[in-house]
Amino acid sequence: EACAAGTVATEEELAQIKAAEKKANSKAKKQYKDSEGNLVKAPVSAYMHFNEENRARVQEALAAEQAANPEAEKVGHMSRLAEEWKALDEEGKKKYEDLAAEDKTRYEEACAAGTVATEEELAQIKAAEKKANSKAKKQYK
């Protein structure tokens, strides 16, 4: 009965209400920009440092295994990297954990020195990145 007394919301009003609710409920992480206006890159985990360092080696090894035995089941390089990471002992992981700690420190210092990017700035930065990426893709076609 309460709805009968009120007015009907238009599609546009409903969209605005939903956007406002989403914004109020979002726990979006603040994004910071440096003095040059670029977004500060998030820190990389120890596992990702490990992947970065070992990806090429694992891909070559898998390619050699596949060439030697074409009938063998194909294994993805990410699966192999995950197995290697799990097999590493604490001493082996320490190097990557130290790299991750350095990266986290870099990120925290950059955020402290930077400013919080507004939604408009984020939209402009992301649009510029998208445009740059599409130009790069066109060059390789």
Side-chain angles (χ1 to χ4, degrees), residues 78-96:
M78 294 303 290
S79 297
R80 180 70 58 90
L81 284 165
E83 290 171 9
E84 287 185 16
W85 175 254
K86 287 177 187 174
L88 271 182
D89 60 355
E90 291 299 314
E91 190 176 315
K93 289 182 181 181
K94 183 166 179 14
K95 170 186 173 184
Y96 304 105

Side-chain angles (χ1 to χ4, degrees), residues 16 34 61 67 84:
Q16 289 174 347
D34 59 16
E84 287 185 16

Side-chain angles (χ1 to χ4, degrees), residues 57-77 80:
R57 176 187 54 80
V58 169
Q59 285 176 329
E60 288 173 9
L62 287 174
E65 288 175 18
Q66 191 64 33
N69 187 3
E71 300 297 319
E73 181 182 346
K74 289 187 178 182
V75 177
H77 68 279
R80 180 70 58 90

Side-chain angles (χ1 to χ4, degrees), residues 10 24 44 48 63 88 104-105 108 132 135:
T10 65
V44 177
M48 292 308 294
L88 271 182
K104 184 176 181 181
T105 301
E108 290 170 348
K135 282 184 181 180

Side-chain angles (χ1 to χ4, degrees), residues 11 38 44 70 72 78 92 109:
E11 291 291 325
N38 300 318
V44 177
M78 294 303 290
E109 289 172 357

